[in-house]
């Protein structure tokens, strides 16, 4: 599974971390990271899945450890393995089904990772 980062990720980061009075409270290091990965396709660490964010694998020349990328910085998801899976809020595990938890059997605590219309490949 991979994600393509939006080309304007650095500008988005700066805007997200600037208040209405124009005061910047972001981190220069994260600004540089966003600049380096803007427009790039990076591999996602699928060990732990989330609905609105992604943990990447280490990115050569950028981060020795993976980084967390919020959904709004993602242009597209490639080979999304989250489809048909859900987070169970009862047992706090990832279910391999979005209809019934494959861990505890509950049906009313599932939060699907991906809505059917959410991403195009």
């Amino acid at each position: 599974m991979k994600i393509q980062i939006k080309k304007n990720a650095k500008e988005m980061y700066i805007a997200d971390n600037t208040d209405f009075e124009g005061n910047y409270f972001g981190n220069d290091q994260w600004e540089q990271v966003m600049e380096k990965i803007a427009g790039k396709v990076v591999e996602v660490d699928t060990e732990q899945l989330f609905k609105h964010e992604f943990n990447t694998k280490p990115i050569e020349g950028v981060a020795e450890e993976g980084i967390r990328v919020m959904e709004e910085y993602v242009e597209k998801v490639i080979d999304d393995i989250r489809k048909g899976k859900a987070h169970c809020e009862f047992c706090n595990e990832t279910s391999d089904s979005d209809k019934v938890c494959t861990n505890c059997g509950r049906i009313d605590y599932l939060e699907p990772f991906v809505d059917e219309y959410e991403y195009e490949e």
Side-chain angles (χ1 to χ4, degrees):
M1 178 170 156
K2 297 178 180 180
I3 53 175
Q4 181 175 9
I5 308 300
K6 289 183 178 178
K7 291 179 182 176
N8 64 338
K10 176 185 174 184
E11 292 79 10
M12 289 177 64
Y13 178 80
I14 292 169
D16 288 347
N17 291 283
T18 302
D19 67 16
F20 292 114
E21 296 174 357
N23 299 311
Y24 179 68
F25 55 90
N27 180 306
D28 291 342
Q29 179 184 353
W30 279 108
E31 190 178 319
Q32 292 171 8
V33 167
M34 289 296 143
E35 182 176 37
K36 288 178 182 178
I37 65 172
K40 304 251 190 303
V41 173
V42 296
E43 196 162 343
V44 174
D45 182 351
T46 57
E47 188 71 28
Q48 207 173 13
L49 300 174
F50 301 95
K51 183 172 179 125
H52 298 293
E53 54 196 57
F54 304 89
N55 287 338
T56 71
K57 291 189 175 181
I59 305 168
E60 189 174 336
V62 178
E64 291 180 15
E65 296 181 10
I67 60 172
R68 182 157 299 175
V69 177
M70 303 307 290
E71 179 179 50
E72 59 263 21
Y73 292 89
V74 175
E75 184 70 35
K76 70 178 178 178
V77 180
I78 303 162
D79 297 328
D80 195 344
I81 67 165
R82 300 173 306 153
K83 291 179 181 175
K85 295 182 180 184
H87 174 76
C88 179
E89 294 177 357
F90 185 80
C91 69
N92 201 31
E93 296 289 334
T94 296
S95 171
D96 290 329
S97 167
D98 59 2
K99 307 290 184 238
V100 60
C101 181
T102 54
N103 298 291
C104 70
R106 302 287 181 141
I107 60 172
D108 50 347
Y109 290 89
L110 294 175
E111 176 67 28
F113 288 120
V114 177
D115 296 325
E116 290 181 28
Y117 62 87
E118 202 164 338
Y119 291 110
E120 295 179 27
E121 292 198 37

